[in-house]
Amino acid sequence: ARTGTEIDKNIIRKKVYLRGFSTTNLKDYTRMFFKDEACRTLALNQLEANPNLCSLCSVPLFCWIIFKCFDHFYSTFDSHELPDITVTLTDIFLLMTEVHLNRTQKTNLLKKNTRSQVETFRTSKNILFSLSKIAHRGMQKSLFFFDQDEVLIDLSEQNLHLGFLRAVPDYGSCSNQSSYEFLHLTLQSFFTALFLAMEEKVGAKELLHFFAECSTLDTSQSSCFPITWLKNRRSTGPDPFRNCEHFHFTNLFLCGLLSKAKHKLMRHLIPSASIKKKRKVLLAYFSESMKSHLKSLIRARLKEYKQ
């Protein structure tokens, strides 16, 4: 069952946690996908440097999508030497979104789409905002399935076929109407972050809401010192079926969308003043979080050092 699906415990015999690609599998697939050694090395370096991107690659389908995005980014450069570029999680999802939005373009099959990413997003601003409202509304309540009537409040029936949402059987209802879910939970996180970035009425408290959710759920403290009582408190491992990854990814996407690197694109969706204001809120939050973290660290009392 996917995340968010409620099933009666009486009919469940066993829970299985799908691990997907192992590290070895991922390296083997990388060698198979990227024939060029330079591209292969660059892709592996990108994954090693970005654990969040690497974790998504454990899902074979997502691995293929991410590698296709890598291939696209590398192919945009004419030079034989690949540039030292950093592909982020936000880059991947912006490109995926662009591809889906271009499905609305009625172009000749033999003719490639020539719209720029900026033009694609600017002309599809209303669609993006509608999807982001649905995603955010669900994320606030930890809902991952949406009734058809609920979806059609914000989104036209035509735009349902863009590929961001997919129909799923509604087992708990006698109605013939379908329920919908985002193609992947991470995609819902992306659109939730997009809502927080695009909606001008979002204040500092709402902007930081999912950071607070992560802080509340992640109660474990990390320490580099082998203290016995800390080990005893964490004797049981984390439950893989209960996590706040969707909140974590929402926060990552929010930082990416409001970053200076994405300002050129986002200013066509949001006023520059709003972007700068929200970016300032994030920077202030990170600054305070870092100060708080440093103060909470256990200090070694050594005579040789003054504290």
Side-chain angles (χ1 to χ4, degrees):
R2 289 172 62 88
T3 303
T5 307
E6 294 294 335
I7 300 178
D8 195 314
K9 292 182 180 179
N10 294 328
I11 63 174
I12 297 176
R13 294 181 61 188
K14 184 185 292 185
K15 280 186 176 182
V16 179
Y17 184 64
L18 297 177
R19 299 183 64 182
F21 276 163
S22 66
T23 304
T24 305
N25 296 148
L26 184 56
K27 288 181 179 179
D28 290 341
Y29 184 72
T30 307
R31 279 194 293 270
M32 184 178 70
F33 190 95
F34 295 103
K35 304 301 181 185
D36 183 76
E37 187 177 352
C39 288
R40 183 166 61 246
T41 302
L42 192 56
L44 286 171
N45 289 341
Q46 295 275 359
L47 294 179
E48 188 177 352
N50 193 331
N52 297 296
L53 205 58
C54 191
S55 68
L56 278 181
C57 281
S58 65
V59 181
L61 176 60
F62 253 93
C63 187
W64 178 82
I65 292 172
I66 289 169
F67 281 8
K68 289 293 285 185
C69 291
F70 276 168
D71 199 36
H72 168 79
F73 290 130
Y74 299 156
S75 66
T76 56
F77 296 94
D78 297 326
S79 60
H80 294 291
E81 292 187 8
L82 291 170
D84 186 19
I85 58 171
T86 301
V87 179
T88 66
L89 203 62
T90 307
D91 291 326
I92 298 292
F93 276 76
L94 284 172
L95 181 58
M96 285 170 54
T97 303
E98 181 187 358
V99 171
H100 281 294
L101 290 174
N102 279 328
R103 290 183 176 187
T104 58
Q105 282 286 94
K106 294 181 180 179
T107 55
N108 190 302
L109 291 174
L110 299 176
K111 186 179 178 182
K112 285 188 176 181
N113 178 58
T114 56
R115 286 203 303 182
S116 67
Q117 188 179 61
V118 168
E119 187 182 355
T120 300
F121 276 73
R122 186 176 62 241
T123 55
S124 306
K125 180 179 177 179
N126 292 336
I127 297 174
L128 291 171
F129 189 65
S130 296
L131 285 163
S132 71
K133 282 174 69 178
I134 296 168
H136 180 256
R137 189 163 59 237
M139 193 67 73
Q140 279 187 311
K141 302 174 184 177
S142 289
L143 294 177
F144 311 110
F145 293 89
F146 308 91
D147 294 333
Q148 184 172 330
D149 292 338
E150 185 182 6
V151 170
L152 292 177
I153 292 173
D154 297 301
L155 202 65
S156 69
E157 196 164 347
Q158 179 185 355
N159 292 328
L160 277 175
H161 304 294
L162 286 173
F164 296 109
L165 294 165
R166 68 175 186 175
V168 291
D170 190 357
Y171 298 111
S173 173
C174 299
S175 172
N176 293 326
Q177 287 190 344
S178 297
S179 293
Y180 289 88
E181 66 176 348
F182 280 87
L183 191 61
H184 192 269
L185 186 54
T186 319
L187 188 61
Q188 185 174 345
S189 295
F190 172 77
F191 277 107
T192 301
L194 190 62
F195 174 84
L196 294 173
M198 290 182 70
E199 177 55 73
E200 291 187 58
K201 294 179 182 178
V202 168
K205 185 177 180 180
E206 191 174 358
L207 191 71
L208 300 175
H209 173 73
F210 296 109
F211 286 96
E213 288 287 342
C214 285
S215 300
T216 304
L217 292 172
D218 185 18
T219 55
S220 62
Q221 295 180 350
S222 60
S223 172
C224 56
F225 295 95
I227 302 175
T228 308
W229 67 270
L230 279 176
K231 284 186 177 180
N232 292 336
R233 285 183 64 186
R234 296 197 301 271
S235 57
T236 57
D239 183 353
F241 302 101
R242 293 181 180 274
N243 60 62
C244 57
E245 275 193 352
H246 45 296
F247 296 146
H248 175 64
F249 277 107
T250 299
N251 296 333
L252 288 174
F253 286 127
L254 182 61
C255 293
L257 292 171
L258 294 177
S259 67
K260 289 183 178 180
K262 296 292 172 282
H263 189 93
K264 186 178 178 181
L265 171 65
M266 296 302 293
R267 69 183 180 184
H268 294 280
L269 305 177
I270 322 159
S272 290
S274 180
I275 297 175
K276 292 176 181 177
K277 183 180 178 181
K278 291 178 180 180
R279 189 188 299 152
K280 190 175 180 180
V281 170
L282 288 180
L283 290 173
Y285 171 79
F286 291 139
S287 177
E288 288 301 315
S289 297
M290 181 59 71
K291 290 177 184 177
S292 177
H293 173 69
L294 291 174
K295 287 179 180 178
S296 68
L297 292 177
I298 300 172
R299 299 184 179 185
R301 296 182 178 179
L302 302 175
K303 294 180 180 179
E304 293 84 355
Y305 298 97
K306 293 182 180 180
Q307 298 191 34

